[in-house]
Amino acid sequence: MSIKVQKERPEISLAYLDSPIGRLAILADSDGISAIFFPNNSEFLSLVEAPASAKGEEWLGLAIEQLSAYFDGRLKVFDLPLSINGSDFQKNAWAQLQKIAYGSTASYGEIASAMGKPKAARAVGMANNKNRIPIIIPCHRIIGSNGSLTGFAGGLDTKRWLLKHEGIFFKEG
């Protein structure tokens, strides 16, 4: 007798948004928005072979509405349910990222200090790298402590566009 264990796959809904920075793939589950992928990232293709979630589709409609308003310059603060998976440290770092106001920036060190862990700048950088919901959790607002651009999953051209869109000036090179 053999027992077959089937891995349970969450219900995920997918939508696309054609934006000024390219076509974004937005994923949601029954709890909220779970990921946004930039055009240069095809990782999401492996995630969408799951049944669609009716509640996820509702969240996608709200996300498209709010992201469109952001790109049109009509929205500065997102109000969306998020479905976030990560360690407690990562979740705390992402919560701090969400406190960086539109048109403002912070460094990894400033985020670490805000978390009460002033020596954890590198760990904040690693958490920032694992953020699956960019723009809404504004990792693009992180710049180097010297004011220069730091890496970004969507590419530095996308980061430049997002920062300029928000009226943020930064050091090149």
Side-chain angles (χ1 to χ4, degrees):
M1 175 183 198
S2 69
I3 299 174
K4 190 174 186 180
V5 177
Q6 181 145 354
K7 189 176 177 184
E8 188 176 317
R9 294 194 60 140
E11 293 182 340
I12 299 172
S13 295
L14 166 70
Y16 293 98
L17 174 64
D18 290 318
S19 77
I21 57 174
R23 187 170 228 207
L24 302 176
I26 307 165
L27 281 80
D29 60 25
S30 60
D31 295 326
I33 303 304
S34 57
I36 296 176
F37 292 100
F38 293 106
N40 66 345
N41 188 333
S42 61
E43 177 189 352
F44 76 91
L45 292 175
S46 65
L47 301 174
V48 295
E49 295 175 10
S53 160
K55 194 66 173 173
E57 290 181 17
E58 180 182 331
W59 301 143
L60 289 175
L62 286 171
I64 287 172
E65 195 176 292
Q66 289 188 27
L67 284 164
S68 295
Y70 168 81
F71 287 120
D72 289 344
R74 297 179 286 115
L75 183 102
K76 295 184 177 170
V77 178
F78 291 97
D79 182 21
L80 293 165
L82 304 179
S83 180
I84 299 173
N85 291 311
S87 69
D88 289 343
F89 182 88
Q90 289 171 328
K91 289 176 183 178
N92 192 1
W94 299 330
Q96 290 301 320
L97 288 177
Q98 289 178 285
K99 293 178 182 179
I100 305 170
Y102 180 101
S104 301
T105 60
S107 69
Y108 295 131
E110 289 169 333
I111 296 296
S113 291
M115 293 171 62
K117 300 183 181 296
K119 296 185 181 199
R122 284 181 187 236
V124 167
M126 293 305 296
N128 200 37
N129 184 45
K130 299 292 183 194
N131 173 21
R132 292 180 55 90
I133 312 175
I135 304 171
I136 295 170
I137 299 178
C139 52
H140 63 279
R141 295 180 187 152
I142 296 293
I143 59 173
S145 57
N146 64 357
S148 64
L149 292 185
T150 57
F152 185 64
L156 288 181
D157 286 341
T158 298
K159 184 170 187 161
R160 279 185 196 92
W161 190 96
L162 291 166
L163 292 173
K164 287 178 182 177
H165 174 68
E166 294 185 17
I168 297 171
F169 298 96
F170 49 87
K171 277 187 186 178
E172 286 284 356

